[in-house]
Amino acid sequence: MNNTKIKIGFITISDRAARGEYEDIGGPAMQDWIKNAVLSPYEIDNIIIEDEQPLIEQTMIDFADNRNCNLILTTGGTGPTTRDVTPEATHAVCERIFDGFAEQMRNVSLRTVPTAILSRQTAGTRGTSLIINLPGKPAAIAVCLGAIFLAVPKCLELLDKSNIQIDLDFVEQEFE
């Protein structure tokens, strides 16, 4: 039987946004993109947290194990600075890493942004949850999600028999 209850978790990782010093633009950008891409009904859970690896790990574990999110999208913390530890946290909590997601996101991003090589997005699974790290800028979020999202419904179907319907016209369009 297919799982028709889909829950998507959105985690914004930003010191300044978590302290209220900076408006979170990454979290809303992820949610807006998903709203356009996913046709199936879904629930959301979202949070803004600081760039602290133990906190990021704890939040991902909570979203996967306790809040039962099928898909967990993160934004922020994927750059080259010492405070950017989202990929390390993701690797620490995931049982399996899917390098293809990261390769595709960087490949597509490099077509327009030469510094995309510095981005360290990754993706993996914890239990039956798929966790995908995205960059922090809304335009980059759209490019990366557009590059990988066709694989997401199949991955979730294989993990827990989820059945997510997506708007192929929206997902397949090229993002500039």
Side-chain angles (χ1 to χ4, degrees), residues 6-13 30 34 45-47 56-75 90 93-94 122-134 145 148-149 152 156 159:
I6 303 302
K7 189 169 187 182
I8 303 173
F10 299 95
I11 304 172
T12 298
I13 300 152
M30 291 188 299
I34 291 295
D45 207 337
N46 64 328
I47 192 169
I56 298 167
E57 290 177 18
Q58 175 188 8
T59 303
M60 288 181 186
I61 290 168
D62 182 44
F63 272 51
D65 297 359
N66 302 320
R67 299 184 192 201
N68 301 313
C69 293
N70 307 73
L71 175 63
I72 301 166
L73 300 176
T74 72
T75 181
T90 303
V93 304
C94 286
T122 193
T125 56
R126 177 177 179 86
T128 58
S129 298
L130 174 61
I131 301 171
I132 302 172
N133 301 154
L134 298 166
L145 282 171
I148 61 160
F149 208 77
V152 170
L156 294 177
L159 287 172

mmCIF file of all heavy atoms in Angstrom, residues 6-13 30 34 45-47 56-75 90 93-94 122-134 145 148-149 152 156 159:
data_model
loop_
_atom_site.group_PDB
_atom_site.id
_atom_site.type_symbol
_atom_site.label_atom_id
_atom_site.label_comp_id
_atom_site.label_asym_id
_atom_site.label_seq_id
_atom_site.Cartn_x
_atom_site.Cartn_y
_atom_site.Cartn_z
ATOM 1 N N ILE A 6 2.405 12.547 3.217
ATOM 2 C CA ILE A 6 3.748 13.046 2.969
ATOM 3 C C ILE A 6 4.005 14.210 3.914
ATOM 4 O O ILE A 6 3.159 15.091 4.083
ATOM 5 C CB ILE A 6 3.899 13.520 1.499
ATOM 6 C CG1 ILE A 6 3.558 12.395 0.528
ATOM 7 C CG2 ILE A 6 5.294 14.069 1.251
ATOM 8 C CD1 ILE A 6 4.368 11.141 0.680
ATOM 9 N N LYS A 7 5.181 14.206 4.512
ATOM 10 C CA LYS A 7 5.574 15.310 5.388
ATOM 11 C C LYS A 7 6.954 15.783 4.949
ATOM 12 O O LYS A 7 7.874 14.976 4.796
ATOM 13 C CB LYS A 7 5.600 14.866 6.841
ATOM 14 C CG LYS A 7 5.778 16.011 7.807
ATOM 15 C CD LYS A 7 5.519 15.552 9.230
ATOM 16 C CE LYS A 7 5.527 16.724 10.171
ATOM 17 N NZ LYS A 7 5.332 16.270 11.562
ATOM 18 N N ILE A 8 7.062 17.084 4.744
ATOM 19 C CA ILE A 8 8.317 17.673 4.292
ATOM 20 C C ILE A 8 8.826 18.614 5.366
ATOM 21 O O ILE A 8 8.105 19.510 5.818
ATOM 22 C CB ILE A 8 8.130 18.424 2.949
ATOM 23 C CG1 ILE A 8 7.557 17.475 1.888
ATOM 24 C CG2 ILE A 8 9.461 19.026 2.496
ATOM 25 C CD1 ILE A 8 7.171 18.152 0.587
ATOM 26 N N GLY A 9 10.064 18.396 5.769
ATOM 27 C CA GLY A 9 10.697 19.247 6.765
ATOM 28 C C GLY A 9 11.630 20.242 6.094
ATOM 29 O O GLY A 9 12.378 19.880 5.186
ATOM 30 N N PHE A 10 11.580 21.483 6.550
ATOM 31 C CA PHE A 10 12.432 22.550 6.035
ATOM 32 C C PHE A 10 13.277 23.082 7.188
ATOM 33 O O PHE A 10 12.724 23.562 8.176
ATOM 34 C CB PHE A 10 11.588 23.688 5.451
ATOM 35 C CG PHE A 10 10.715 23.276 4.304
ATOM 36 C CD1 PHE A 10 9.386 22.925 4.514
ATOM 37 C CD2 PHE A 10 11.213 23.241 3.009
ATOM 38 C CE1 PHE A 10 8.569 22.550 3.458
ATOM 39 C CE2 PHE A 10 10.397 22.870 1.943
ATOM 40 C CZ PHE A 10 9.078 22.526 2.164
ATOM 41 N N ILE A 11 14.592 22.992 7.035
ATOM 42 C CA ILE A 11 15.502 23.457 8.076
ATOM 43 C C ILE A 11 16.384 24.553 7.498
ATOM 44 O O ILE A 11 17.156 24.309 6.573
ATOM 45 C CB ILE A 11 16.375 22.310 8.612
ATOM 46 C CG1 ILE A 11 15.516 21.146 9.128
ATOM 47 C CG2 ILE A 11 17.311 22.829 9.715
ATOM 48 C CD1 ILE A 11 16.308 19.888 9.490
ATOM 49 N N THR A 12 16.260 25.759 8.053
ATOM 50 C CA THR A 12 17.144 26.857 7.686
ATOM 51 C C THR A 12 18.272 26.900 8.709
ATOM 52 O O THR A 12 18.015 26.942 9.912
ATOM 53 C CB THR A 12 16.407 28.209 7.682
ATOM 54 O OG1 THR A 12 15.374 28.156 6.698
ATOM 55 C CG2 THR A 12 17.356 29.353 7.371
ATOM 56 N N ILE A 13 19.494 26.896 8.212
ATOM 57 C CA ILE A 13 20.666 26.902 9.081
ATOM 58 C C ILE A 13 21.396 28.221 8.870
ATOM 59 O O ILE A 13 22.052 28.421 7.843
ATOM 60 C CB ILE A 13 21.548 25.677 8.791
ATOM 61 C CG1 ILE A 13 20.740 24.404 9.047
ATOM 62 C CG2 ILE A 13 22.815 25.722 9.650
ATOM 63 C CD1 ILE A 13 21.152 23.215 8.258
ATOM 64 N N MET A 30 12.641 27.601 -0.393
ATOM 65 C CA MET A 30 12.439 26.149 -0.509
ATOM 66 C C MET A 30 10.953 25.828 -0.502
ATOM 67 O O MET A 30 10.476 25.043 -1.323
ATOM 68 C CB MET A 30 13.110 25.402 0.648
ATOM 69 C CG MET A 30 14.604 25.399 0.654
ATOM 70 S SD MET A 30 15.301 24.306 1.933
ATOM 71 C CE MET A 30 14.678 25.009 3.465
ATOM 72 N N ILE A 34 8.722 24.076 -3.539
ATOM 73 C CA ILE A 34 8.007 22.819 -3.299
ATOM 74 C C ILE A 34 6.511 23.001 -3.540
ATOM 75 O O ILE A 34 5.852 22.129 -4.113
ATOM 76 C CB ILE A 34 8.289 22.291 -1.874
ATOM 77 C CG1 ILE A 34 9.746 21.821 -1.763
ATOM 78 C CG2 ILE A 34 7.314 21.184 -1.480
ATOM 79 C CD1 ILE A 34 10.118 20.632 -2.634
ATOM 80 N N ASP A 45 6.876 20.962 8.182
ATOM 81 C CA ASP A 45 7.450 21.280 9.484
ATOM 82 C C ASP A 45 8.666 22.123 9.164
ATOM 83 O O ASP A 45 9.424 21.797 8.241
ATOM 84 C CB ASP A 45 7.848 19.997 10.215
ATOM 85 C CG ASP A 45 7.812 20.158 11.718
ATOM 86 O OD1 ASP A 45 7.920 21.309 12.199
ATOM 87 O OD2 ASP A 45 7.689 19.139 12.416
ATOM 88 N N ASN A 46 8.856 23.228 9.862
ATOM 89 C CA ASN A 46 10.015 24.055 9.558
ATOM 90 C C ASN A 46 10.604 24.659 10.820
ATOM 91 O O ASN A 46 9.916 24.803 11.833
ATOM 92 C CB ASN A 46 9.677 25.131 8.522
ATOM 93 C CG ASN A 46 8.659 26.120 9.024
ATOM 94 O OD1 ASN A 46 7.786 25.783 9.799
ATOM 95 N ND2 ASN A 46 8.765 27.347 8.582
ATOM 96 N N ILE A 47 11.890 24.994 10.710
ATOM 97 C CA ILE A 47 12.609 25.548 11.844
ATOM 98 C C ILE A 47 13.812 26.329 11.315
ATOM 99 O O ILE A 47 14.328 26.024 10.243
ATOM 100 C CB ILE A 47 13.054 24.422 12.821
ATOM 101 C CG1 ILE A 47 13.532 25.005 14.147
ATOM 102 C CG2 ILE A 47 14.117 23.533 12.181
ATOM 103 C CD1 ILE A 47 13.722 23.939 15.234
ATOM 104 N N ILE A 56 22.455 20.934 14.495
ATOM 105 C CA ILE A 56 22.004 20.519 13.160
ATOM 106 C C ILE A 56 21.730 19.020 13.157
ATOM 107 O O ILE A 56 20.690 18.554 12.669
ATOM 108 C CB ILE A 56 23.041 20.895 12.083
ATOM 109 C CG1 ILE A 56 23.233 22.414 12.033
ATOM 110 C CG2 ILE A 56 22.613 20.363 10.713
ATOM 111 C CD1 ILE A 56 24.453 22.856 11.231
ATOM 112 N N GLU A 57 22.648 18.242 13.721
ATOM 113 C CA GLU A 57 22.461 16.790 13.791
ATOM 114 C C GLU A 57 21.211 16.440 14.582
ATOM 115 O O GLU A 57 20.391 15.628 14.133
ATOM 116 C CB GLU A 57 23.678 16.129 14.436
ATOM 117 C CG GLU A 57 24.920 16.159 13.587
ATOM 118 C CD GLU A 57 26.135 15.568 14.279
ATOM 119 O OE1 GLU A 57 25.972 14.825 15.273
ATOM 120 O OE2 GLU A 57 27.265 15.852 13.825
ATOM 121 N N GLN A 58 21.054 17.053 15.739
ATOM 122 C CA GLN A 58 19.895 16.783 16.594
ATOM 123 C C GLN A 58 18.594 17.122 15.869
ATOM 124 O O GLN A 58 17.611 16.372 15.951
ATOM 125 C CB GLN A 58 20.019 17.595 17.880
ATOM 126 C CG GLN A 58 18.833 17.494 18.808
ATOM 127 C CD GLN A 58 18.953 18.474 19.980
ATOM 128 O OE1 GLN A 58 19.832 19.325 20.038
ATOM 129 N NE2 GLN A 58 18.032 18.336 20.916
ATOM 130 N N THR A 59 18.583 18.232 15.142
ATOM 131 C CA THR A 59 17.378 18.650 14.416
ATOM 132 C C THR A 59 17.056 17.689 13.281
ATOM 133 O O THR A 59 15.902 17.298 13.088
ATOM 134 C CB THR A 59 17.547 20.091 13.893
ATOM 135 O OG1 THR A 59 17.841 20.960 15.001
ATOM 136 C CG2 THR A 59 16.283 20.574 13.197
ATOM 137 N N MET A 60 18.067 17.274 12.528
ATOM 138 C CA MET A 60 17.835 16.307 11.444
ATOM 139 C C MET A 60 17.314 14.985 12.002
ATOM 140 O O MET A 60 16.385 14.390 11.441
ATOM 141 C CB MET A 60 19.121 16.067 10.653
ATOM 142 C CG MET A 60 19.537 17.204 9.777
ATOM 143 S SD MET A 60 21.055 16.746 8.909
ATOM 144 C CE MET A 60 21.455 18.269 8.106
ATOM 145 N N ILE A 61 17.898 14.530 13.086
ATOM 146 C CA ILE A 61 17.449 13.283 13.728
ATOM 147 C C ILE A 61 16.004 13.428 14.174
ATOM 148 O O ILE A 61 15.179 12.528 13.968
ATOM 149 C CB ILE A 61 18.384 12.898 14.898
ATOM 150 C CG1 ILE A 61 19.740 12.464 14.360
ATOM 151 C CG2 ILE A 61 17.754 11.810 15.762
ATOM 152 C CD1 ILE A 61 20.823 12.329 15.426
ATOM 153 N N ASP A 62 15.667 14.554 14.788
ATOM 154 C CA ASP A 62 14.303 14.793 15.251
ATOM 155 C C ASP A 62 13.321 14.795 14.075
ATOM 156 O O ASP A 62 12.271 14.160 14.144
ATOM 157 C CB ASP A 62 14.238 16.121 16.012
ATOM 158 C CG ASP A 62 12.851 16.406 16.551
ATOM 159 O OD1 ASP A 62 12.198 15.487 17.103
ATOM 160 O OD2 ASP A 62 12.393 17.565 16.410
ATOM 161 N N PHE A 63 13.677 15.487 12.989
ATOM 162 C CA PHE A 63 12.790 15.546 11.827
ATOM 163 C C PHE A 63 12.603 14.161 11.204
ATOM 164 O O PHE A 63 11.508 13.836 10.751
ATOM 165 C CB PHE A 63 13.328 16.536 10.786
ATOM 166 C CG PHE A 63 12.882 17.957 10.990
ATOM 167 C CD1 PHE A 63 13.014 18.594 12.214
ATOM 168 C CD2 PHE A 63 12.336 18.667 9.952
ATOM 169 C CE1 PHE A 63 12.599 19.900 12.402
ATOM 170 C CE2 PHE A 63 11.914 19.982 10.115
ATOM 171 C CZ PHE A 63 12.037 20.598 11.346
ATOM 172 N N ALA A 64 13.652 13.362 11.169
ATOM 173 C CA ALA A 64 13.562 12.028 10.562
ATOM 174 C C ALA A 64 12.897 11.023 11.508
ATOM 175 O O ALA A 64 11.957 10.329 11.104
ATOM 176 C CB ALA A 64 14.956 11.537 10.175
ATOM 177 N N ASP A 65 13.383 10.945 12.732
ATOM 178 C CA ASP A 65 12.961 9.877 13.643
ATOM 179 C C ASP A 65 11.680 10.168 14.413
ATOM 180 O O ASP A 65 10.900 9.252 14.674
ATOM 181 C CB ASP A 65 14.069 9.586 14.659
ATOM 182 C CG ASP A 65 15.353 9.078 14.023
ATOM 183 O OD1 ASP A 65 15.404 8.928 12.784
ATOM 184 O OD2 ASP A 65 16.328 8.861 14.768
ATOM 185 N N ASN A 66 11.470 11.418 14.794
ATOM 186 C CA ASN A 66 10.330 11.756 15.645
ATOM 187 C C ASN A 66 9.206 12.463 14.910
ATOM 188 O O ASN A 66 8.034 12.195 15.147
ATOM 189 C CB ASN A 66 10.784 12.623 16.827
ATOM 190 C CG ASN A 66 11.845 11.927 17.653
ATOM 191 O OD1 ASN A 66 11.777 10.726 17.887
ATOM 192 N ND2 ASN A 66 12.840 12.679 18.080
ATOM 193 N N ARG A 67 9.560 13.373 14.011
ATOM 194 C CA ARG A 67 8.531 14.123 13.284
ATOM 195 C C ARG A 67 8.111 13.402 12.011
ATOM 196 O O ARG A 67 7.195 13.830 11.324
ATOM 197 C CB ARG A 67 9.023 15.526 12.966
ATOM 198 C CG ARG A 67 9.350 16.333 14.219
ATOM 199 C CD ARG A 67 9.737 17.737 13.876
ATOM 200 N NE ARG A 67 10.318 18.441 15.001
ATOM 201 C CZ ARG A 67 10.368 19.757 15.102
ATOM 202 N NH1 ARG A 67 9.880 20.514 14.141
ATOM 203 N NH2 ARG A 67 10.919 20.323 16.152
ATOM 204 N N ASN A 68 8.815 12.326 11.677
ATOM 205 C CA ASN A 68 8.460 11.452 10.548
ATOM 206 C C ASN A 68 8.364 12.179 9.209
ATOM 207 O O ASN A 68 7.425 11.968 8.434
ATOM 208 C CB ASN A 68 7.163 10.691 10.837
ATOM 209 C CG ASN A 68 7.286 9.845 12.081
ATOM 210 O OD1 ASN A 68 8.266 9.121 12.251
ATOM 211 N ND2 ASN A 68 6.316 9.951 12.963
ATOM 212 N N CYS A 69 9.344 13.011 8.922
ATOM 213 C CA CYS A 69 9.391 13.689 7.626
ATOM 214 C C CYS A 69 9.927 12.719 6.577
ATOM 215 O O CYS A 69 10.960 12.086 6.775
ATOM 216 C CB CYS A 69 10.294 14.919 7.694
ATOM 217 S SG CYS A 69 9.655 16.235 8.753
ATOM 218 N N ASN A 70 9.215 12.613 5.473
ATOM 219 C CA ASN A 70 9.682 11.782 4.363
ATOM 220 C C ASN A 70 10.862 12.448 3.674
ATOM 221 O O ASN A 70 11.807 11.786 3.262
ATOM 222 C CB ASN A 70 8.576 11.595 3.322
ATOM 223 C CG ASN A 70 7.296 11.090 3.904
ATOM 224 O OD1 ASN A 70 6.590 11.832 4.584
ATOM 225 N ND2 ASN A 70 6.969 9.843 3.660
ATOM 226 N N LEU A 71 10.759 13.767 3.519
ATOM 227 C CA LEU A 71 11.767 14.557 2.829
ATOM 228 C C LEU A 71 12.181 15.695 3.753
ATOM 229 O O LEU A 71 11.323 16.375 4.319
ATOM 230 C CB LEU A 71 11.192 15.118 1.521
ATOM 231 C CG LEU A 71 12.064 16.080 0.719
ATOM 232 C CD1 LEU A 71 13.341 15.397 0.241
ATOM 233 C CD2 LEU A 71 11.267 16.631 -0.465
ATOM 234 N N ILE A 72 13.481 15.881 3.916
ATOM 235 C CA ILE A 72 14.015 16.959 4.741
ATOM 236 C C ILE A 72 14.943 17.783 3.858
ATOM 237 O O ILE A 72 15.922 17.265 3.326
ATOM 238 C CB ILE A 72 14.778 16.410 5.964
ATOM 239 C CG1 ILE A 72 13.853 15.540 6.820
ATOM 240 C CG2 ILE A 72 15.385 17.562 6.775
ATOM 241 C CD1 ILE A 72 14.570 14.688 7.857
ATOM 242 N N LEU A 73 14.590 19.058 3.704
ATOM 243 C CA LEU A 73 15.409 19.970 2.911
ATOM 244 C C LEU A 73 16.057 20.974 3.847
ATOM 245 O O LEU A 73 15.385 21.547 4.708
ATOM 246 C CB LEU A 73 14.561 20.704 1.875
ATOM 247 C CG LEU A 73 13.825 19.835 0.858
ATOM 248 C CD1 LEU A 73 12.941 20.700 -0.038
ATOM 249 C CD2 LEU A 73 14.805 19.030 0.024
ATOM 250 N N THR A 74 17.361 21.169 3.664
ATOM 251 C CA THR A 74 18.060 22.170 4.458
ATOM 252 C C THR A 74 18.571 23.259 3.537
ATOM 253 O O THR A 74 18.822 23.025 2.350
ATOM 254 C CB THR A 74 19.254 21.577 5.229
ATOM 255 O OG1 THR A 74 20.319 21.270 4.313
ATOM 256 C CG2 THR A 74 18.855 20.329 6.011
ATOM 257 N N THR A 75 18.724 24.454 4.077
ATOM 258 C CA THR A 75 19.350 25.544 3.356
ATOM 259 C C THR A 75 20.346 26.210 4.279
ATOM 260 O O THR A 75 20.080 26.397 5.456
ATOM 261 C CB THR A 75 18.316 26.567 2.822
ATOM 262 O OG1 THR A 75 19.005 27.588 2.102
ATOM 263 C CG2 THR A 75 17.494 27.197 3.916
ATOM 264 N N THR A 90 25.096 16.238 8.159
ATOM 265 C CA THR A 90 24.317 15.314 7.331
ATOM 266 C C THR A 90 25.016 13.962 7.230
ATOM 267 O O THR A 90 24.380 12.916 7.397
ATOM 268 C CB THR A 90 24.082 15.919 5.929
ATOM 269 O OG1 THR A 90 23.436 17.189 6.088
ATOM 270 C CG2 THR A 90 23.241 15.008 5.062
ATOM 271 N N VAL A 93 24.577 11.884 10.461
ATOM 272 C CA VAL A 93 23.276 11.298 10.809
ATOM 273 C C VAL A 93 22.729 10.348 9.750
ATOM 274 O O VAL A 93 21.816 9.581 10.036
ATOM 275 C CB VAL A 93 22.213 12.384 11.129
ATOM 276 C CG1 VAL A 93 22.696 13.298 12.237
ATOM 277 C CG2 VAL A 93 21.813 13.171 9.911
ATOM 278 N N CYS A 94 23.269 10.392 8.549
ATOM 279 C CA CYS A 94 22.745 9.541 7.469
ATOM 280 C C CYS A 94 23.407 8.168 7.460
ATOM 281 O O CYS A 94 24.600 8.045 7.714
ATOM 282 C CB CYS A 94 22.950 10.212 6.107
ATOM 283 S SG CYS A 94 21.812 11.574 5.810
ATOM 284 N N THR A 122 25.054 18.031 -0.091
ATOM 285 C CA THR A 122 25.084 16.582 -0.092
ATOM 286 C C THR A 122 23.670 16.076 0.128
ATOM 287 O O THR A 122 22.753 16.857 0.353
ATOM 288 C CB THR A 122 26.069 16.035 0.980
ATOM 289 O OG1 THR A 122 26.290 14.645 0.759
ATOM 290 C CG2 THR A 122 25.577 16.279 2.389
ATOM 291 N N ALA A 123 23.491 14.783 0.052
ATOM 292 C CA ALA A 123 22.181 14.174 0.292
ATOM 293 C C ALA A 123 22.384 12.755 0.792
ATOM 294 O O ALA A 123 23.378 12.107 0.464
ATOM 295 C CB ALA A 123 21.345 14.167 -0.988
ATOM 296 N N GLY A 124 21.446 12.309 1.587
ATOM 297 C CA GLY A 124 21.527 10.953 2.098
ATOM 298 C C GLY A 124 20.222 10.550 2.758
ATOM 299 O O GLY A 124 19.258 11.324 2.783
ATOM 300 N N THR A 125 20.214 9.353 3.286
ATOM 301 C CA THR A 125 19.009 8.853 3.949
ATOM 302 C C THR A 125 19.298 8.490 5.390
ATOM 303 O O THR A 125 20.377 8.011 5.738
ATOM 304 C CB THR A 125 18.434 7.623 3.229
ATOM 305 O OG1 THR A 125 19.439 6.623 3.139
ATOM 306 C CG2 THR A 125 17.917 7.979 1.851
ATOM 307 N N ARG A 126 18.308 8.757 6.199
ATOM 308 C CA ARG A 126 18.280 8.296 7.587
ATOM 309 C C ARG A 126 16.956 7.559 7.728
ATOM 310 O O ARG A 126 15.895 8.157 7.604
ATOM 311 C CB ARG A 126 18.361 9.452 8.562
ATOM 312 C CG ARG A 126 18.262 8.973 10.004
ATOM 313 C CD ARG A 126 18.416 10.098 11.008
ATOM 314 N NE ARG A 126 18.283 9.565 12.340
ATOM 315 C CZ ARG A 126 19.276 9.034 13.050
ATOM 316 N NH1 ARG A 126 20.493 8.985 12.554
ATOM 317 N NH2 ARG A 126 19.057 8.558 14.260
ATOM 318 N N GLY A 127 17.040 6.248 7.941
ATOM 319 C CA GLY A 127 15.814 5.460 7.959
ATOM 320 C C GLY A 127 15.117 5.607 6.624
ATOM 321 O O GLY A 127 15.705 5.361 5.573
ATOM 322 N N THR A 128 13.861 6.052 6.672
ATOM 323 C CA THR A 128 13.105 6.228 5.436
ATOM 324 C C THR A 128 12.979 7.706 5.054
ATOM 325 O O THR A 128 12.125 8.071 4.254
ATOM 326 C CB THR A 128 11.700 5.608 5.559
ATOM 327 O OG1 THR A 128 11.018 6.213 6.658
ATOM 328 C CG2 THR A 128 11.786 4.104 5.751
ATOM 329 N N SER A 129 13.834 8.543 5.622
ATOM 330 C CA SER A 129 13.827 9.974 5.289
ATOM 331 C C SER A 129 14.968 10.294 4.333
ATOM 332 O O SER A 129 16.093 9.847 4.538
ATOM 333 C CB SER A 129 14.003 10.817 6.552
ATOM 334 O OG SER A 129 12.949 10.618 7.451
ATOM 335 N N LEU A 130 14.659 11.086 3.324
ATOM 336 C CA LEU A 130 15.667 11.600 2.410
ATOM 337 C C LEU A 130 16.019 13.011 2.848
ATOM 338 O O LEU A 130 15.131 13.857 2.994
ATOM 339 C CB LEU A 130 15.138 11.611 0.972
ATOM 340 C CG LEU A 130 16.020 12.258 -0.094
ATOM 341 C CD1 LEU A 130 17.365 11.534 -0.216
ATOM 342 C CD2 LEU A 130 15.289 12.296 -1.435
ATOM 343 N N ILE A 131 17.306 13.260 3.080
ATOM 344 C CA ILE A 131 17.791 14.569 3.511
ATOM 345 C C ILE A 131 18.623 15.157 2.379
ATOM 346 O O ILE A 131 19.548 14.510 1.882
ATOM 347 C CB ILE A 131 18.660 14.453 4.785
ATOM 348 C CG1 ILE A 131 17.845 13.824 5.926
ATOM 349 C CG2 ILE A 131 19.202 15.823 5.184
ATOM 350 C CD1 ILE A 131 18.673 13.478 7.166
ATOM 351 N N ILE A 132 18.285 16.387 1.985
ATOM 352 C CA ILE A 132 19.004 17.062 0.904
ATOM 353 C C ILE A 132 19.444 18.433 1.390
ATOM 354 O O ILE A 132 18.618 19.231 1.841
ATOM 355 C CB ILE A 132 18.131 17.217 -0.357
ATOM 356 C CG1 ILE A 132 17.651 15.849 -0.867
ATOM 357 C CG2 ILE A 132 18.901 17.964 -1.450
ATOM 358 C CD1 ILE A 132 16.626 15.935 -1.986
ATOM 359 N N ASN A 133 20.744 18.707 1.297
ATOM 360 C CA ASN A 133 21.280 20.028 1.628
ATOM 361 C C ASN A 133 21.258 20.904 0.392
ATOM 362 O O ASN A 133 21.734 20.501 -0.666
ATOM 363 C CB ASN A 133 22.731 19.940 2.098
ATOM 364 C CG ASN A 133 22.954 19.076 3.314
ATOM 365 O OD1 ASN A 133 24.036 18.554 3.491
ATOM 366 N ND2 ASN A 133 21.963 18.922 4.169
ATOM 367 N N LEU A 134 20.755 22.121 0.565
ATOM 368 C CA LEU A 134 20.687 23.093 -0.526
ATOM 369 C C LEU A 134 21.479 24.333 -0.152
ATOM 370 O O LEU A 134 21.701 24.601 1.031
ATOM 371 C CB LEU A 134 19.226 23.469 -0.795
ATOM 372 C CG LEU A 134 18.327 22.317 -1.248
ATOM 373 C CD1 LEU A 134 16.865 22.706 -1.152
ATOM 374 C CD2 LEU A 134 18.683 21.903 -2.667
ATOM 375 N N LEU A 145 17.164 22.410 -6.892
ATOM 376 C CA LEU A 145 15.977 21.556 -6.822
ATOM 377 C C LEU A 145 15.525 21.143 -8.216
ATOM 378 O O LEU A 145 15.148 19.987 -8.440
ATOM 379 C CB LEU A 145 14.848 22.258 -6.074
ATOM 380 C CG LEU A 145 14.985 22.264 -4.557
ATOM 381 C CD1 LEU A 145 13.931 23.169 -3.920
ATOM 382 C CD2 LEU A 145 14.898 20.856 -3.980
ATOM 383 N N ILE A 148 17.569 18.142 -9.509
ATOM 384 C CA ILE A 148 17.523 16.824 -8.857
ATOM 385 C C ILE A 148 16.131 16.289 -8.569
ATOM 386 O O ILE A 148 15.970 15.103 -8.271
ATOM 387 C CB ILE A 148 18.296 16.839 -7.521
ATOM 388 C CG1 ILE A 148 17.668 17.852 -6.563
ATOM 389 C CG2 ILE A 148 19.775 17.124 -7.752
ATOM 390 C CD1 ILE A 148 17.998 17.656 -5.121
ATOM 391 N N PHE A 149 15.127 17.142 -8.643
ATOM 392 C CA PHE A 149 13.843 16.754 -8.060
ATOM 393 C C PHE A 149 13.131 15.621 -8.784
ATOM 394 O O PHE A 149 12.311 14.930 -8.176
ATOM 395 C CB PHE A 149 12.911 17.960 -7.903
ATOM 396 C CG PHE A 149 11.948 17.785 -6.766
ATOM 397 C CD1 PHE A 149 12.365 17.957 -5.466
ATOM 398 C CD2 PHE A 149 10.630 17.424 -7.004
ATOM 399 C CE1 PHE A 149 11.492 17.772 -4.404
ATOM 400 C CE2 PHE A 149 9.743 17.238 -5.951
ATOM 401 C CZ PHE A 149 10.181 17.417 -4.650
ATOM 402 N N VAL A 152 13.542 12.545 -6.753
ATOM 403 C CA VAL A 152 13.039 12.512 -5.372
ATOM 404 C C VAL A 152 11.820 11.599 -5.209
ATOM 405 O O VAL A 152 11.810 10.752 -4.305
ATOM 406 C CB VAL A 152 12.773 13.936 -4.848
ATOM 407 C CG1 VAL A 152 12.017 13.915 -3.523
ATOM 408 C CG2 VAL A 152 14.087 14.695 -4.701
ATOM 409 N N LEU A 156 11.836 8.310 -2.662
ATOM 410 C CA LEU A 156 10.906 8.163 -1.534
ATOM 411 C C LEU A 156 10.017 6.934 -1.701
ATOM 412 O O LEU A 156 9.708 6.249 -0.725
ATOM 413 C CB LEU A 156 10.073 9.428 -1.365
ATOM 414 C CG LEU A 156 10.856 10.666 -0.945
ATOM 415 C CD1 LEU A 156 9.945 11.883 -0.870
ATOM 416 C CD2 LEU A 156 11.594 10.455 0.365
ATOM 417 N N LEU A 159 12.056 4.093 -0.571
ATOM 418 C CA LEU A 159 12.318 4.114 0.871
ATOM 419 C C LEU A 159 11.115 3.668 1.695
ATOM 420 O O LEU A 159 11.256 2.877 2.621
ATOM 421 C CB LEU A 159 12.739 5.514 1.321
ATOM 422 C CG LEU A 159 14.133 5.961 0.916
ATOM 423 C CD1 LEU A 159 14.327 7.437 1.257
ATOM 424 C CD2 LEU A 159 15.194 5.113 1.613
#
